[in-house]
Amino acid sequence: MKKKVKEKDIRILEIFCSITALGAGILCILYLFDLLQNHWFLNFILGLGVLLHMSLAILHLLKNRKILLVITAVFLIFYIACLVYFNI
């Protein structure tokens, strides 16, 4: 039995993705301009990237977009690998 996903829930997930992307973008600018450049700040930015790509993967899964889901999953694995690499 498949349950139909409500359009309101998809819109909430899209708004969450937009806010997360905006926050990550602002934090990346702060990091690149050397305003807040330390190890913990970079980990926070990478964590936001993982959160963003995970929520995008869920969004593409709900909308049944297989190709975009695969592309997002590749980027998610890349961000997780970077997060692990910078913490070893």
Side-chain angles (χ1 to χ4, degrees):
M1 223 165 105
K2 254 187 164 176
K3 230 180 184 182
K4 190 74 175 167
V5 179
K6 294 181 182 177
E7 189 68 27
K8 180 182 175 185
D9 295 334
I10 290 177
R11 294 289 169 225
I12 290 172
L13 189 56
E14 287 175 344
I15 290 170
F16 177 75
C17 291
S18 299
I19 291 171
T20 306
L22 180 67
I26 291 171
L27 293 177
C28 286
I29 290 170
L30 292 174
Y31 185 81
L32 289 175
F33 284 138
D34 201 20
L35 296 174
L36 294 168
Q37 201 171 55
N38 60 31
H39 180 71
W40 296 107
F41 198 69
L42 181 62
N43 284 339
F44 187 71
I45 293 171
L46 287 172
L48 274 178
V50 169
L51 181 66
L52 172 65
H53 285 87
M54 179 61 78
S55 58
L56 278 174
I58 293 170
L59 181 65
H60 294 315
L61 182 67
L62 292 176
K63 288 186 172 185
N64 203 17
R65 296 178 176 169
K66 303 289 186 210
I67 296 173
L68 290 174
L69 174 62
V70 170
I71 293 170
T72 305
V74 168
F75 280 116
L76 175 64
I77 292 168
F78 174 73
Y79 271 91
I80 290 172
C82 287
L83 192 59
V84 169
Y85 175 76
F86 288 129
N87 285 310
I88 289 180

